[in-house]
Amino acid sequence: MNDMLGFEGTQVPDVPGLPGFPEFGTPGRNKWIWNLAKGVQMRFENHNYFGPGAPACETEPHWQIRVNGKNIGKWMPGDPIP
C-alpha cells in the first residue's frame, strides 16, 4: 500500500499485556494507518487477540476506512472496496 499511495503509513506496534493480565495486551495486531486526507484514514489490521467467537472480520487481517473517527466499512483482503 505504501508504494501505491506514494507514502509510508504508520505502523502501530503491539502492546504487551500487563504482568499477570496478558488479556490487556494486543499481540499480533499488525496495524498500519494511512492518513489520506483531512479526517480520512485507511487501516490494515487484525485483532487476533480477541477471544473465541469473535467474527472473522475482526480476527483476520482486514481493511478499514474511517472518516472523522467513524468506521464506514471493513473489507477482507481481496474484497472490492467501493
Side-chain angles (χ1 to χ4, degrees):
M1 189 53 66
N2 292 335
D3 289 342
M4 189 169 95
L5 293 174
F7 65 94
E8 190 167 319
T10 302
Q11 185 176 19
V12 178
D14 293 345
V15 176
L18 300 173
F21 298 95
E23 67 273 14
F24 290 111
T26 55
R29 87 167 89 186
N30 302 319
K31 183 185 281 189
W32 282 84
I33 299 174
W34 293 269
N35 291 304
L36 304 177
K38 186 176 181 182
V40 180
Q41 286 186 338
M42 181 169 56
R43 297 171 174 225
F44 185 72
E45 60 190 9
N46 69 315
H47 310 284
N48 59 2
Y49 46 87
F50 283 2
C57 69
E58 293 291 350
T59 59
E60 299 295 322
H62 61 275
W63 294 97
Q64 186 177 63
I65 296 178
R66 296 175 66 120
V67 177
N68 295 322
K70 182 180 177 185
N71 293 337
I72 63 164
K74 291 182 184 180
W75 297 269
M76 302 301 280
D79 288 349
I81 297 176

